[in-house]
Amino acid sequence: MRVCWNAEHPVTVREVLDGLNKGRAQPLAYTTVMTVMSRLAEKDVLNRTTQGRSYAYSPAVPDEAALAVREVLRNHGDAAITHFAAEAVLDPGLRDRLRRLLEESP
């Protein structure tokens, strides 16, 4: 994911493989990286578009924190939001930051 997040454009399996293999004693196989990226696309972690005869991938979320939040919400839904809100009530600074973020968001 780090290679995809650091890229300024959608990346191919080959580009990710090259990025991952830099400095590795035992290089990863192309098919291994392709399989992982395909599975991440199936899980909506990566977006996949056709580029010629292959695919180009881009992150579906901007960073690890967004990925974590999305997974927590998918797996726990309203319960996660309820617990987060309960924690925010206990911390006035967090509550104020949350209120400000909600007001600023589109």
Side-chain angles (χ1 to χ4, degrees):
M1 285 302 301
R2 182 79 42 226
V3 173
C4 294
W5 281 321
N6 289 337
E8 296 179 8
H9 56 82
V11 292
T12 64
V13 173
R14 176 62 59 196
E15 291 171 309
V16 172
L17 178 69
D18 291 345
L20 292 173
N21 280 339
K22 283 182 185 169
R24 285 184 65 96
Q26 292 241 314
L28 297 168
Y30 181 91
T31 54
T32 300
V33 175
M34 180 179 65
T35 299
V36 170
M37 292 179 73
S38 179
R39 289 182 181 164
L40 290 173
E42 290 169 6
K43 293 179 180 186
D44 296 324
V45 175
L46 288 174
N47 297 318
R48 178 170 55 191
T49 56
T50 304
Q51 183 178 9
R53 293 179 42 206
S54 62
Y55 292 110
Y57 295 85
S58 59
V61 293
D63 55 32
E64 291 177 73
L67 182 58
V69 168
R70 190 178 76 176
E71 289 303 310
V72 166
L73 290 175
R74 281 185 176 176
N75 293 331
H76 303 287
D78 287 348
I81 294 170
T82 300
H83 288 296
F84 184 82
E87 289 294 321
V89 167
L90 299 174
D91 181 344
L94 176 59
R95 185 179 57 234
D96 292 342
R97 286 194 314 270
L98 180 59
R99 183 177 292 117
R100 192 171 51 253
L101 287 170
L102 288 170
E103 290 171 355
E104 293 172 0
S105 70

